[in-house]
Amino acid sequence: MRVLGVNAIFHDPAAALVVDGQVVAAAEEERFSRRKHGKRPVPFSAWELPELSAAWCLASAGLDPGDLDAVAYSFDPALCLPERDGDPWDWLRQRYAERAPHFLATALPGLDPGAVRFVPHHVAHAASAGLAMPYRDGDSAVLVLDGRGESASHLAGAYRDGVLEPLYSQALPHSLGLLYEDLTRHLGFLHSSDEYKVMALASYGAPKHLGVLRELIRSTGEGGFVVERIDWGALAKARPAHADLAEEHADLAASVQVRLEEVLLDLVRWVHEAAGGPRTLAMAGGVALNCVANARIAAEGPFDRVWVQPAAGDAGTALGAALHVARELDDRTAPMPGADLGRGWSDEEIEAELRRAALPYTRPPSIAAEAAPVLAGSGIVAWYQGRSEYGPRALGHRSLLAHPGDRDTTVRMNAVKGREQFRPIAPMVRAERAAEIFEGNLPSPYMLFVHRVKPAWRERIPAVVHVDGTARVQTVDRESEPLVAEMLAEFDRLTGLPVVVNTSLNTAGRPMVDTPREAMELFGSAPVDLLAMGPFAVHRVGAFR
């Protein structure tokens, strides 16, 4: 059974392929088109399809469009609100979605338009979590929160024997995701893109407006919530893009962040009871990328385990839609094997690209042992290994690595990437060492929770400790990520530190590097000391060796 999943309607277009219940490929269109997020979330772009990523998914499995049993499209136009009740441009999204089968047949010649199935947006989000997570020992609860779907912004439910039981859906216009988008826009950042910057900014402020926000943003006690209109200007003046940030902006960010966490905890407790008290909560939707809130849910909520889809935003609905339809057609699905579901290149292909670029390179006995002394000498390493990650986090496949014990590392890394200096950089650590250094939800392979750094370690790894004493940790399992684990062990042997700085292999405003050529272009344009690409090493002339 071969099912292609497609996300297209709002933003982060993506494609995913499930064959006989197994996830074999998933990728975001931005990695191919080189447009950040693939497109902007405006109604006029709703017709755009992830043509390049869909074609790659099929080619990677040796399939033609005509070989597909189904195409799962993560939006159901039949569920849209009447024009008088919804967004005034919803009619345009609805028309484009209704014609998606024919658009897809044009983009993928040989595809039968009749093979296209519409999957409700939040059902696709739910499946991306509930059907993809590794835990299969009983029922699980699922919580989806984002800006919006067809007519709702939230779905609470339970998975029982692989079948979704919806328990509550919050109707628009009430939306926690749109609330955070509005705040992002008011603070001068790009909405549907820079919400994570607001989350980082919140750590610098105090929740001075919590009283008024508790009146305007509140849970109903019945599985839903209310978001009243907020006069942002009465709480902090609007910040023009690129203008200086003031204390009032950090305070507003902190206030909304704390209130978001409080409401999410109310929803989590409700769905735990409504679902019958299962051990596990699966989460998806753009709000589930808020790793500060996730950490609080794991610490204070009633669930033993909290699993968050690594591609929790709209890109993940391509995978969820495919899993949902595969489950309907074949009654079998397996957990996703990891986040490394995108493109990869063979050693021969990488070497051919290095030769084409006329870059001097070596093939050391161990690329991990080659990278470790560069890192130990406070050099920066561009780490390009295996298949690229699905989702917004670099997880040791398309990463920039650095020394966590150097206080200047944060400034240097943000300068290399062209980022705001208030933004933190994250640590990766071998899973067996994580509990020595960090407190919180462990293991954390997808960097979707924050963890308290133990006091004894804060001075030893200052580059990865945020202003509030936390870090967004990625734990590395030696079974699933042997090369990254080897690099960490070598760095530990040289420095006595089991932690390495890990941030995404890109510069500000651009998608993560995906191809060898893009990796070489970044290496040539940024002050990076070593490009570790596959088994090959390219040292910058005159850099630490």
Side-chain angles (χ1 to χ4, degrees), residues 224-238:
F225 52 85
V226 172
V227 179
E228 305 281 8
R229 191 186 71 83
I230 298 174
D231 182 359
W232 296 112
L235 303 177
K237 65 178 181 296

Side-chain angles (χ1 to χ4, degrees), residues 24-47:
V24 299
E28 294 145 284
E29 189 74 359
E30 69 166 22
R31 309 296 174 86
F32 298 80
S33 69
R34 309 310 297 164
R35 293 170 61 194
K36 187 70 171 174
H37 297 295
K39 62 180 180 180
R40 290 300 297 154
V42 295
F44 311 103
S45 71
W47 65 272

Side-chain angles (χ1 to χ4, degrees), residues 221-269:
E222 299 177 348
F225 52 85
V226 172
V227 179
E228 305 281 8
R229 191 186 71 83
I230 298 174
D231 182 359
W232 296 112
L235 303 177
K237 65 178 181 296
R239 169 183 170 259
H242 309 298
D244 290 341
L245 285 160
E247 182 179 334
E248 63 176 329
H249 299 127
D251 291 342
L252 180 56
S255 301
V256 174
Q257 175 66 33
V258 171
R259 187 56 187 147
L260 173 71
E261 295 166 15
E262 292 175 342
V263 172
L264 289 179
L265 279 167
D266 288 341
L267 300 179
V268 165
R269 291 170 181 134

Side-chain angles (χ1 to χ4, degrees), residues 1-4 17 54 58-59 62-71 104-105 107-115:
M1 192 65 62
R2 299 169 291 269
V3 182
L4 179 71
L17 182 64
L58 294 177
L63 298 177
D64 293 320
D67 296 327
L68 291 168
D69 296 290
V71 176
L104 284 162
L108 301 171
L111 175 69
D112 177 7

Side-chain angles (χ1 to χ4, degrees), residues 168 170 218-226 263 266-267 269-271 273:
Y168 193 87
Q170 177 59 57
R218 56 192 185 275
S219 55
T220 63
E222 299 177 348
F225 52 85
V226 172
V263 172
D266 288 341
L267 300 179
R269 291 170 181 134
W270 183 91
V271 73
E273 183 176 354

